[in-house]
């Protein structure tokens, strides 16, 4: 099990594709910084990840900072304490 942290926006970062492709069943994928825009702009991609058994999370404060209501996205939303829990839970972190 791994924690995959994605921080770049959906606008053309090839690294994001590599990280999404690396996600396997049971992994946790955390959207932080500009990557929380995936929760708004690319819900179908996140749905595909969830169908593969990947747990998808978005940082609540990063959503709010970008003007989005955390209650309107179709992923689990975590605060900073939740992020710490994800880091402690996963022996391997990919970012």
């Amino acid at each position: 099990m791994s924690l995959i942290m994605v921080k770049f926006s959906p606008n053309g970062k090839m690294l994001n594709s590599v990280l999404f492709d690396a996600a396997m069943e049971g992994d946790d994928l955390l959207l932080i910084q500009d990557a929380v825009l995936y929760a708004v702009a690319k819900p179908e991609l996140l749905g595909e990840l969830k169908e593969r058994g990947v747990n998808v999370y978005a940082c609540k404060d990063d959503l709010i900072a970008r003007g989005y209501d955390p209650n309107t996205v179709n992923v689990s939303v975590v605060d900073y304490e939740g992020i710490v829990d994800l880091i402690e839970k996963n022996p391997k972190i990919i970012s």
Side-chain angles (χ1 to χ4, degrees), residues 39-40 43 63 67-75 77:
V40 178
L63 283 165
Y68 295 100
D69 181 351
N71 297 315
T72 62
V73 295
N74 193 21
V75 298
V77 177

Side-chain angles (χ1 to χ4, degrees), residues 8 21 23 26-27 33 40 47 54 61 66 71 79 92-93:
F8 298 112
D21 289 344
D27 285 343
Q33 299 177 4
V40 178
V54 177
D61 289 329
R66 284 150 185 84
N71 297 315
D79 57 14
K92 183 176 174 183
I93 298 175

Side-chain angles (χ1 to χ4, degrees), residues 23-78:
M24 300 186 328
E25 184 175 352
D27 285 343
D28 294 323
L29 188 135
L30 174 62
L31 304 169
I32 58 172
Q33 299 177 4
D34 285 342
V36 298
L37 298 175
Y38 277 98
V40 178
K42 303 278 186 177
E44 67 283 349
L45 172 65
L46 301 181
E48 290 172 17
L49 288 166
K50 292 194 289 186
E51 285 177 14
R52 289 185 357 215
V54 177
N55 305 306
V56 182
Y57 302 89
C59 175
K60 178 181 180 179
D61 289 329
D62 289 338
L63 283 165
I64 293 169
R66 284 150 185 84
Y68 295 100
D69 181 351
N71 297 315
T72 62
V73 295
N74 193 21
V75 298
S76 299
V77 177
V78 292

